[in-house]
Amino acid sequence: MAEEVKVKAKAKTVKNDKTDKQSEELAKAKQKKEEAKVKAQKASEDRIKEERLKKEKAEKLKQEEEKRIKEAEALEKEKKDKTKETISGVAAIATTALAGKKNKGFFSGLIIGLVAGIALSFMLSGYLDTMFKNPIETVKDNFDEVLTETFAGYTAVDFKNAVLGEASQHQELIVMEQPLVIDTTITKAGLGNLAIFSKTKEISYAGTGVYTVDLKDIDEDHIRVDEEEKTVTIYINHTVLQYVNISYDEMKFEDTEKGLLSFGDITLTMEQQNELEKSVQSSMRETLLQETLLNQADEFAKMKCWEVFQPLISAVSPEFVVEIEFNK
């Protein structure tokens, strides 16, 4: 019968090159986010300035064309008045000729001339209408087009498609890794559980907890576009402790402490070894699931996701910035 073995494992977080690098990356990401906000604000101000200048130019064009329109209308009126005078003159001549009735041939020719003159006058009047009216309408159409031109060049759908396309490629995004040291004490009781027959061994394990955020559930309902605030808010799940790794290469063994009447080293059965590993992993998970570490992982998740999506949103519109929030 195998001797009773007790295992006591206690995990604690440690700092190393990996945690230092993660902290540096987080600080850089925060700085990039602030810079992105400034850049987006400038892009918005530049667009507004461009719109204002273009509208001012269009307004000046409108005033110039309105002046031309008035001049054209005055000229058109003058031409029409002259046409009316011509028609009146022809009519007067015809009336005089009819009153004389001296020459039938002359009378017939005069009538024909009168009709041709009137027709020519109306043709001239129609030509003037065409000549002056079309440019005026064209100018008005061009001006309206200038004022209604959109400077945005995007729709809410464009933002959502960009986010959804990228989210599908990052279903399990690693956001933080936390190294641990797990100090483990193995006690193997001896005869009658007396200390003089017992053995104790200290083993130090190194391990890492890996936190991820799952983006595969992001759909259109998780994306909110605020055109007034120029933000695209993406709602993500909270981070989870995805798995723990034990680095057996970094195990450290202390000498076995033996009772006065205890001999030999501690040997474990396969079942006892499995229990030892379960105890180590359980201690790791208990430490890694502490609220402080989960909150820290969430902070990393926000910045990691921001770095993933911000370039895509900027490509759609340089005026917009990404905000990452968690699902309720």
Side-chain angles (χ1 to χ4, degrees), residues 171-173 175 210-218 222 234-242 289 291 293-302 305 324-328:
Q171 295 189 3
E172 293 291 346
L173 181 64
V175 297
V210 179
Y211 300 84
T212 65
V213 60
D214 189 354
L215 303 182
K216 72 174 181 295
D217 293 330
I218 293 179
H222 294 85
I234 304 170
Y235 293 88
I236 64 173
N237 293 324
H238 283 278
T239 52
V240 296
L241 176 62
Q242 188 65 27
L289 289 174
E291 186 176 358
L293 286 177
L294 290 175
N295 290 339
Q296 185 179 347
D298 276 348
E299 185 179 13
F300 276 101
K302 279 190 172 185
C305 290
I324 304 295
E325 299 293 344
F326 291 108
N327 293 318
K328 301 299 183 181

Side-chain angles (χ1 to χ4, degrees), residues 169-208:
Q169 302 181 38
H170 296 276
Q171 295 189 3
E172 293 291 346
L173 181 64
I174 295 176
V175 297
M176 189 180 84
E177 296 183 39
Q178 178 59 58
L180 298 169
V181 169
I182 309 94
D183 294 324
T184 308
T185 302
I186 304 174
T187 301
K188 196 167 190 179
L191 181 65
N193 290 328
L194 296 175
I196 60 173
F197 295 109
S198 299
K199 305 172 187 178
T200 301
K201 193 175 191 65
E202 301 286 345
I203 304 176
S204 177
Y205 291 86
T208 303

Side-chain angles (χ1 to χ4, degrees), residues 54-55 57-63 65-66 68-69 133-151:
K54 195 162 188 177
K55 287 182 179 180
K57 183 178 179 180
E59 186 63 33
K60 183 178 179 180
L61 175 64
K62 178 185 177 184
Q63 293 173 356
E65 293 306 319
E66 285 178 344
R68 287 184 56 190
I69 289 170
K133 185 175 182 181
N134 289 346
I136 294 171
E137 291 180 348
T138 300
V139 168
K140 289 180 177 179
D141 291 342
N142 289 343
F143 177 71
D144 291 340
E145 184 177 349
V146 168
L147 291 185
T148 58
E149 180 180 352
T150 176
F151 290 84

